[in-house]
Amino acid sequence: MAYTISKLTDYSAAALERASAELFSALGDEASTVKNEGDWKIFRDRWMARKNGVLTQINDLWLKAAPKEAKREVGLRVNLIKEQVEQQVADAKVRYQIPELPISSATSEISETNLRRDAIGKAGIIDITLPGIRRPIGAEHPVVKTTNEMVRVFQRLGYSVAEGPVVETDYYNFESLNFPPNHPARDTQDTLFIAGQQAKPQRERLLLRTHTSPVQIRTMEKMRPPLRIVIPGTVHRNDPLDASHSPMFHQIEGLAVDTNITFGDLKGTLDHAMKEFFGSSVKTSFRPSFFPFTEPSAEMFVSCFICGGSGRRGTDPCRPCKQTGWIEILGCGMVDPNVFEFVKDNGYDPRKVSGFAFGMGADRIALLKYGVDDIQLFFQGDVRFLRQWA
Amino acid sequence: MKISSSWVREFVDLSVDDRRLAEDLTAVGIAVEGISGSGADTVFEMEIGTNRPDAMNHYGVAREAAAIYDLPLKELSAFSCQLSAKASGAKAQSSVKASNAAQKRRSSTGGGAKKASAAKADSSSASRGAAGSRAPSKQSSQRASEDAAFPITVEEPELCPRFSARVIRGTTIKPSPEKIAHRLQLLDQRPISNAVDATNYVLWEMGKPTHVFDMDLLEGGRLIIRRAKDGEKLKTLDGVERTLSSEDLVVADAKRPVGLAGVMGGFDTMITDKTKNVLIESAWWDPGTVRKTSRRHGIHTDASHRFERGADFESTVLSCDLVAKLILESGGGELVGGAIDVVSRQMDQAPIVLRLSEVHRILGSKLTTGEIFRILKKLGFGVIPEGQADAKFRVQIPSWRLDVEREIDLIEEIARLHGYDKFENTLPAYRGAVVELPHAAADATLRERALALGYNEAVSLTFISHAAAESFSSGAAVLEVENPLSEEASVMRTSLAPGMLDMLARNLNRDAEDVRLFEMGRVYEMRGGERVEPARLCLGATLTAVKNALPAGAVLDVSKGEHAAAAETFRSFKGDVENLLAAFAHNQLSFDRETAEYFHPGRSARAIMDGAAVAQFGQIADDVKSERKLRQDVFLAEIDLEQLHRRGLRQVRFAPLGKYPAVERDFSFVFSDDMGFEAMRRAVMGLGIPELSEFKAVEIFRGGAIPTGKYSILLRARLQSDEGTLRDEQIAAWSGQIVKALQELGGVQRV
Ligand SMILES: [Zn+2]
């Protein structure tokens, strides 16, 4: 039997209370029958419709009809009823959407705990320890990453990046770097040659550059001093693949030429760069070496960044530095005057300018830095390897 | 190269221990890479640069040690007076002193025993005298010694400026004494016999290669240094019969070649246990000739290694004598005649002017004249100071340092002995700006995007096989490697595709199925006779990876079956390509089916940006898949970075956000299979409705009520105006236009 609004004849507090209780009871009963959107719309309209909704009727039958002296009291009541109706209508909607939500009584206490528990909802809590679904991000190649990092170190020191071809002429790879034809120093380069070059003069014959040094000459031909360049690039040697050799590898070369470049500048620049790359605690040491295109020539060692220079890792010998505490990182030297002679006309008179050059193996540094034990892993595209840098 | 520390200590009284000696030698560039053994058997594993043949022996290492510690170097001498007295009255005493910086000059008279000894005396006096040297006297190109001991004729004085020899008669060939054999064994040299070991011992002792002949096997009783005749044969000591050319220099007897000059002796004239009479040869050969012969015949010997790099011109007689002494000591016999020494041409080591200012300019350190003077003296250079204000030195070069020819070479010697680590580290002042490579930003963007799309960066070898070069040909001529490591690596890659397929196959074979790789690199080809190295980017992905990357909400084709699956995976991969291309400035990007044969004909596309092909991509062809034994379908994209570089990165210009609400209208159509979406999009966008901001496909369906050969497509137009809210009549009019355009393409609207 549906609830109907009765006219009020008695405006006493007790009478108002009775009428309100009757209304709230009906409101609760009807709210509990709402099971779906259709029910809810009917429920909402019965109580809140502007035409003939219960609230409108109360307004008309109770408030408007009330004698002047009772209007204030009735107004307060009607407002309270309005609030409750709106609340119940809203709750009813949530309830059929999330059926387990308890029907809140008009007088129920609202506590923090209840709110949290209510917010969990019917499905309960989930296992937040299961791993997240990661949209895969590609991994940088360790050699490219190492190269980029090293190049950035030199860019910050004022070096611009330069490039040159992988397929080079004898002139740029050897002759202009002070490797005369038939010089034994060429033997150390294990060169891979391009086929079908016999008809050409020796200096025009093509080969796979054995170092990035040809870019020194190529750049000096194009740009006048002062010059500061860093040259990353692929090089090739006739070295069969094994754990520490690859016929293809990567170098990072550098060249600085100015009117006042000294051997001390070479040492200072490389010392600074190594501290920036490996960390400020590394030390550098230089030993005499031989390269046809530099003189004096040196090999640079850094204090072992794996064992900190002690030669030991705990009780074990440190293998990367062969227990010496030092790791050879690069070859370098003052640019040989014979090299400048080839670009003398572009401002590189060896009596007026001096310079230094250096070259290092990016793959080798990556091997050492990440403790990779086989250079071949770099060039196989094995995702089990590559993903380690993800 | 191995060096015995106790042998070195014979020549210089060192107080340091072996470890310290090794460190100090290494610090001056005579690198000791490892130490093995102990006590008298301690052996250093050395790494000596190609420019320092003088240090590739014990006396040479001792010379460096003496310089480091500023200690006297003992003289290396062959014969006591007693022995030389026995030697047929010749003054055979010869010696070299380490600190003897004087340029030895000798005017050869091409003589026999008497003349040779005269020359010897001459040279001795010259060597003890001051730096003053006489110009070599004019010489005939042919020198002969009519010597009682053994006549020598040098027909090629340019290639053999000095030829010294010694004759021993009546000796016995037998094993070397224990001391000699043991020392050779320490250096991993196999003892053979006293005479042969003597040459080897002297080589390791003081660096000069020598050779011993069984004199009785030399026909005609003479030696001739000449060019070989083309086709002439010589069986070398290693037992190999070699065919010579006129570019080879040989030592010959009256009939035939008996040795390949500076490289290897002849088999037929070698020392055997029957040998009684021995001819010892020690010559100075032209380095280039030795190198060419050694390369031509593929023989690299300890002798050729040293001759190629330049031996000590003044050590020919001494080395002969040292060998003779060892043979006489172990096998007995008699030295016949004096030292034979045919000098056809002098080594011209002119003094070098060294300026203090240049030392400072290059090294940056203010070394004093005193320090420089002391360093050079210790190394055996003759140093004469010149000039007071503008400090200079006139420096005489010792005969064993053929590598020192220029002022800079001396500066290196000074730096080396001073100690590299003692130079102060400085930073040069910097001027000038850092310039980026023109395509650095574009390449960095592509790399970042590929990584963000989940592709792992790969680097593959730059070589491919001939077969791959053919299958993945771009049409351009290839660059082949003359001396490849293998057939698999005999051509420079013309495409990144074969390398990528290899890497994908490798992963699949190792049960890694979800694989996405990219490589940025160069390919190599000839265009119009010029070599070019265009940059490429290659994406590679397995079917599993492409499917995994397809978001459930993005599916367009909701029909069942292989066709829809293939279409959706292709779109998944295509989206990656589009994401890369979208970074570049362009007006129009379209796709056609013109792809290389290694792509699946129905599931690959070519991307065309403003008329230029910039990429081809899609599933790999079935025959390539089976040929390469790929365990599942894979996808490749080859992107031409040259083309993208030409366009440059898209510059962002802000577009105002729409103020008025957009309206979407859907159109359901049935089209025949040969009508692609791009044609619909073009037709509709071509209507020129400015308010049409987007036209896209929302759902595709085949089967069910749709007849075979046709498909249903749900299209959605998005309309929006900058001027105000669209009115219903406007929308209806445009919808009508869109329907008409689609109908004109043959579409049938479903209601
Ligand atoms: Zn270490």
Side-chain angles (χ1 to χ4, degrees):
Chain A
M1 148 93 233
Y3 165 77
T4 51
I5 317 287
S6 52
K7 282 187 184 173
L8 287 181
T9 47
D10 179 358
Y11 291 96
S12 70
L16 280 173
E17 181 62 44
R18 240 190 342 267
S20 298
E22 201 184 334
L23 182 142
F24 284 141
S25 162
L27 176 66
D29 289 350
E30 288 181 30
S32 67
T33 63
V34 171
K35 295 284 180 272
N36 53 45
E37 193 173 357
D39 291 350
W40 178 77
K41 280 184 176 161
I42 293 167
F43 174 60
R44 179 195 63 189
D45 293 348
R46 170 166 153 72
W47 287 86
M48 291 171 68
R50 277 189 207 162
K51 265 187 191 171
N52 259 333
V54 174
L55 288 178
T56 310
Q57 291 183 47
I58 289 173
N59 216 39
D60 293 347
L61 295 179
W62 292 10
L63 186 59
K64 286 185 182 166
K68 215 172 184 178
E69 65 278 4
K71 273 218 175 3
R72 192 184 127 81
E73 183 65 19
V74 175
L76 287 171
R77 279 282 163 186
V78 168
N79 274 345
L80 182 70
I81 290 165
K82 194 181 167 201
E83 273 173 32
Q84 286 296 327
V85 167
E86 283 170 354
Q87 180 67 45
Q88 286 287 359
V89 167
D91 284 358
K93 181 168 190 176
V94 177
R95 259 196 319 273
Y96 77 77
Q97 285 171 333
I98 309 165
E100 296 310 301
L101 197 71
I103 298 169
S104 60
S105 81
T107 54
S108 79
E109 210 178 301
I110 297 168
S111 73
E112 273 298 292
T113 343
N114 279 342
L115 258 182
R116 292 279 294 166
R117 193 165 50 228
D118 292 352
I120 285 168
K122 183 202 173 194
I125 61 164
I126 52 157
D127 182 356
I128 48 86
T129 65
L130 284 170
I133 300 166
R134 293 164 68 172
R135 259 172 286 176
I137 299 166
E140 288 181 89
H141 192 282
V143 173
V144 181
K145 184 176 159 69
T146 301
T147 303
N148 290 345
E149 284 167 4
M150 189 64 86
V151 165
R152 272 194 287 278
V153 165
F154 284 98
Q155 282 180 313
R156 283 194 289 269
L157 280 168
Y159 289 68
S160 296
V161 178
E163 277 185 329
V166 167
V167 179
E168 249 315 347
T169 60
D170 184 281
Y171 175 78
Y172 286 108
N173 196 71
F174 288 128
E175 191 182 334
S176 64
L177 291 167
N178 201 28
F179 289 81
N182 284 316
H183 194 272
R186 289 183 174 220
D187 291 353
T188 62
Q189 301 283 309
D190 297 321
T191 312
L192 287 163
F193 299 94
I194 297 296
Q197 304 293 307
Q198 287 75 8
K200 295 182 185 170
Q202 171 141 6
R203 54 161 53 183
E204 288 169 28
R205 290 182 194 168
L206 298 177
L207 44 79
L208 299 184
R209 68 175 176 195
T210 57
H211 44 193
T212 39
S213 311
V215 187
Q216 291 185 22
I217 292 286
R218 286 185 172 276
T219 309
M220 286 193 282
E221 283 178 348
K222 280 182 284 196
M223 297 168 72
R224 297 176 67 86
L227 187 68
R228 277 185 190 199
I229 49 169
V230 58
I231 308 152
T234 306
V235 302
H236 297 83
R237 301 258 174 111
N238 194 356
D239 274 334
L241 266 172
D242 65 26
S244 49
H245 295 90
S246 165
M248 177 198 83
F249 54 102
H250 302 85
Q251 283 189 341
I252 304 159
E253 182 104 5
L255 173 70
V257 184
D258 208 335
T259 48
N260 55 352
I261 300 282
T262 68
F263 187 66
D265 292 336
L266 161 66
K267 288 183 60 203
T269 298
L270 291 175
D271 185 74
H272 176 90
M274 293 305 119
K275 285 182 163 62
E276 202 171 325
F277 185 85
F278 291 111
S280 55
S281 62
V282 304
K283 293 192 270 290
T284 55
S285 177
F286 294 78
R287 293 176 198 168
S289 187
F290 172 71
F291 307 106
F293 43 101
T294 52
E295 186 152 2
S297 299
E299 269 162 5
M300 191 195 71
F301 291 71
V302 297
S303 53
C304 180
F305 41 83
I306 289 142
C307 65
S310 67
R312 304 198 72 80
R313 301 173 80 180
T315 51
D316 296 328
C318 178
R319 222 177 294 170
C321 67
K322 296 179 196 134
Q323 303 179 59
T324 62
W326 293 96
I327 291 181
E328 188 192 333
I329 288 291
L330 56 77
C332 58
M334 300 301 289
V335 177
D336 193 293
N338 285 357
V339 172
F340 283 141
E341 289 291 339
F342 287 94
V343 284
K344 196 174 182 173
D345 294 343
N346 201 29
Y348 294 90
D349 183 341
R351 290 169 304 181
K352 293 183 183 137
V353 298
S354 54
F356 62 75
F358 57 87
M360 62 193 109
D363 321 75
R364 189 178 135 72
I365 293 173
L367 283 175
L368 290 165
K369 185 174 175 187
Y370 299 111
V372 176
D373 59 6
D374 187 345
I375 194 171
Q376 296 187 66
L377 286 165
F378 285 146
F379 310 126
Q380 291 169 337
D382 190 324
V383 288
R384 297 170 306 168
F385 175 76
L386 297 174
R387 292 299 299 164
Q388 296 181 30
W389 280 267
Chain B
M1 193 190 78
K2 289 186 157 58
I3 287 289
S4 147
S5 79
S6 58
W7 198 347
V8 168
R9 286 167 192 275
E10 257 179 32
F11 303 116
V12 57
D13 290 324
L14 297 169
S15 54
V16 294
D17 65 13
D18 287 336
R19 184 158 292 279
R20 182 67 199 273
L21 174 61
E23 279 172 17
D24 292 341
L25 284 169
T26 303
V28 298
I30 308 299
V32 179
E33 302 278 300
I35 304 178
S36 59
S38 59
D41 287 353
T42 302
V43 171
F44 292 164
E45 184 57 51
M46 312 286 295
E47 184 72 45
I48 311 273
T50 52
N51 60 327
R52 294 298 305 277
D54 65 291
M56 295 174 182
N57 61 78
H58 290 80
Y59 196 71
V61 173
R63 191 150 48 205
E64 290 285 322
I68 294 169
Y69 305 114
D70 203 8
L71 293 168
L73 180 68
K74 292 177 191 173
E75 211 167 86
L76 191 60
S77 67
F79 298 126
S80 66
C81 296
Q82 201 186 357
L83 234 172
S84 69
K86 266 174 80 182
S88 302
K91 278 197 217 163
Q93 205 263 345
S94 59
S95 64
V96 175
K97 209 174 178 223
S99 60
N100 176 9
Q103 180 106 358
K104 293 188 179 178
R105 292 283 173 179
R106 180 171 297 135
S107 79
S108 164
T109 49
K114 282 170 197 160
K115 286 180 176 176
S117 62
K120 184 74 231 167
D122 182 332
S123 98
S124 301
S125 66
S127 71
R128 292 200 185 96
S133 57
R134 280 182 273 148
S137 58
K138 280 192 176 173
Q139 293 146 13
S140 67
S141 65
Q142 189 159 327
R143 305 255 153 234
S145 78
E146 302 304 325
D147 172 59
F150 213 82
I152 312 286
T153 307
V154 177
E155 290 184 2
E156 297 289 341
E158 283 303 309
L159 307 184
C160 177
R162 188 164 194 179
F163 191 101
S164 307
R166 272 284 188 185
V167 171
I168 292 176
R169 287 195 180 275
T171 192
T172 310
I173 302 304
K174 58 182 190 182
S176 283
E178 176 54 27
K179 182 195 160 194
I180 305 292
H182 180 69
R183 279 204 166 158
L184 290 176
Q185 278 164 335
L186 267 186
L187 309 181
D188 293 343
Q189 301 291 315
R190 188 169 58 92
I192 297 165
S193 69
N194 55 351
V196 175
D197 295 349
T199 63
N200 210 7
Y201 189 89
V202 169
L203 175 91
W204 290 105
E205 180 168 61
M206 48 84 81
K208 179 72 185 67
T210 56
H211 182 65
V212 282
F213 295 97
D214 182 328
M215 206 166 82
D216 298 328
L217 300 175
L218 294 174
E219 297 202 37
R222 57 193 289 115
L223 283 182
I224 304 146
I225 291 48
R226 61 167 170 85
R227 287 179 188 274
K229 297 173 186 120
D230 279 322
E232 208 169 11
K233 300 271 198 268
L234 170 65
K235 189 177 180 185
T236 42
L237 275 174
D238 52 7
V240 178
E241 178 156 290
R242 303 181 186 272
T243 304
L244 309 179
S245 87
S246 60
E247 286 178 65
D248 293 319
L249 189 67
V250 295
V251 178
D253 62 15
K255 283 188 123 171
R256 65 207 158 139
V258 293
L260 212 43
V263 180
M264 195 179 267
F267 187 88
D268 295 334
T269 51
M270 71 179 176
I271 302 291
T272 66
D273 48 11
K274 296 187 193 74
T275 302
K276 294 278 173 260
N277 303 318
V278 176
L279 180 79
I280 306 162
E281 163 212 312
S282 180
W284 198 95
W285 305 107
D286 170 58
T289 305
V290 171
R291 180 175 162 79
K292 277 185 212 149
T293 294
S294 154
R295 298 210 116 194
R296 187 177 308 116
H297 296 285
I299 332 174
H300 185 91
T301 59
D302 287 328
S304 70
H305 190 77
R306 284 161 179 78
F307 282 126
E308 278 182 27
R309 286 160 178 78
D312 181 355
F313 193 80
E314 297 302 330
S315 70
T316 56
V317 174
L318 174 65
S319 55
C320 271
D321 290 353
L322 289 167
V323 171
K325 183 183 143 200
L326 289 173
I327 295 174
L328 292 171
E329 277 172 2
S330 61
E334 192 191 0
L335 209 50
V336 177
I340 301 164
D341 189 19
V342 184
V343 182
S344 324
R345 181 166 65 84
Q346 285 299 331
M347 282 310 294
D348 189 26
Q349 283 177 285
I352 299 170
V353 174
L354 175 69
R355 294 161 296 166
L356 183 67
S357 58
E358 188 67 0
V359 174
H360 293 166
R361 184 173 81 98
I362 299 298
L363 299 181
S365 166
K366 300 289 175 216
L367 288 169
T368 64
T369 49
E371 284 171 302
I372 292 167
F373 184 84
R374 275 194 296 279
I375 287 171
L376 291 175
K377 288 299 273 187
K378 284 194 286 187
L379 285 167
F381 291 89
V383 190
I384 302 161
E386 272 185 12
Q388 291 295 319
D390 183 23
K392 277 189 206 171
F393 300 100
R394 180 172 291 270
V395 182
Q396 293 285 348
I397 314 306
S399 62
W400 58 87
R401 290 303 300 272
L402 291 184
D403 60 310
V404 179
E405 295 171 325
R406 304 169 297 162
E407 189 176 23
I408 192 71
D409 300 331
L410 289 172
I411 292 172
E412 179 174 59
E413 289 300 296
I414 294 162
R416 181 172 83 80
L417 255 279
H418 179 68
Y420 281 3
D421 284 344
K422 285 190 200 144
F423 289 92
E424 195 194 342
N425 287 349
T426 51
L427 278 175
Y430 168 56
R431 53 202 170 112
V434 176
V435 184
E436 286 279 9
L437 286 175
H439 311 307
D443 289 344
T445 300
L446 284 166
R447 183 167 179 267
E448 277 161 20
R449 287 188 177 212
L451 290 168
L453 290 167
Y455 288 82
N456 298 297
E457 189 171 26
V459 176
S460 68
L461 292 184
T462 34
F463 310 110
I464 56 175
S465 64
H466 277 100
E470 203 160 299
S471 310
F472 297 87
S473 169
S474 64
V478 300
L479 288 148
E480 290 174 79
V481 180
E482 170 89 34
N483 50 339
L485 285 123
S486 67
E487 163 50 33
E488 292 307 300
S490 52
V491 181
M492 294 306 286
R493 67 182 179 197
T494 52
S495 158
L496 300 183
M500 181 57 74
L501 289 173
D502 283 348
M503 293 191 286
L504 292 173
R506 185 182 177 88
N507 280 293
L508 290 171
N509 289 341
R510 282 159 183 77
D511 295 326
E513 293 189 332
D514 186 343
V515 182
R516 247 171 305 186
L517 298 172
F518 82 99
E519 178 169 14
M520 287 175 79
R522 297 187 174 273
V523 298
Y524 307 88
E525 53 188 39
M526 299 294 288
R527 285 187 203 156
E530 289 299 315
R531 65 193 199 279
V532 287
E533 302 183 359
R536 298 274 189 270
L537 191 158
C538 186
L539 298 180
T542 57
L543 178 63
T544 304
V546 177
K547 271 190 177 158
N548 286 354
L550 181 65
V555 170
L556 261 187
D557 194 333
V558 296
S559 27
K560 292 196 170 21
E562 200 200 339
H563 182 274
E568 291 303 314
T569 44
F570 176 81
R571 281 203 319 119
S572 170
F573 188 68
K574 183 186 178 189
D576 293 345
V577 176
E578 288 172 331
N579 262 329
L580 296 180
L581 299 182
F584 290 84
H586 63 273
N587 295 316
Q588 203 188 32
L589 179 64
S590 61
F591 299 88
D592 65 19
R593 296 181 184 276
E594 299 296 314
T595 55
E597 274 183 11
Y598 47 91
F599 281 106
H600 189 296
R603 299 176 185 177
S604 62
R606 182 172 70 155
I608 299 174
M609 198 179 261
D610 297 340
V614 292
Q616 56 176 344
F617 60 94
Q619 192 177 318
I620 214 71
D622 286 344
D623 55 338
V624 176
K625 180 191 170 193
S626 57
E627 208 173 284
R628 296 190 160 246
K629 301 193 173 62
L630 287 158
R631 289 195 190 169
Q632 55 167 269
D633 286 324
V634 300
F635 291 74
L636 284 190
E638 292 181 273
I639 299 172
D640 186 341
L641 298 189
E642 267 188 315
Q643 289 290 347
L644 295 182
H645 288 160
R646 218 166 283 164
R647 274 156 187 81
L649 287 172
R650 183 171 59 87
Q651 298 300 314
V652 177
R653 289 291 304 169
F654 164 74
L657 310 180
K659 270 182 273 179
Y660 301 99
V663 174
E664 286 181 346
R665 283 289 178 273
D666 286 0
F667 306 88
S668 183
F669 268 81
V670 170
F671 278 99
S672 76
D673 278 344
D674 54 15
M675 179 54 58
F677 169 72
E678 179 60 19
M680 302 173 205
R681 200 188 66 84
R682 242 183 254 172
V684 170
M685 296 311 283
L687 290 170
I689 304 167
E691 287 79 4
L692 181 59
S693 60
E694 189 183 33
F695 186 71
K696 64 180 183 182
V698 186
E699 191 176 287
I700 286 169
F701 182 74
R702 280 180 176 78
I706 309 297
T708 310
K710 292 189 183 299
Y711 69 108
S712 136
I713 183 165
L714 181 65
L715 299 156
R716 182 167 294 163
R718 187 182 168 86
L719 297 151
Q720 191 172 23
S721 166
D722 296 336
E723 271 120 49
T725 308
L726 298 175
R727 284 172 289 115
D728 286 347
E729 316 87 77
Q730 287 178 297
I731 297 168
W734 290 325
S735 296
Q737 281 182 279
I738 292 171
V739 168
K740 189 160 171 273
L742 293 170
Q743 283 169 336
E744 279 167 8
L745 290 175
V748 175
Q749 190 173 18
R750 302 178 80 197
V751 187

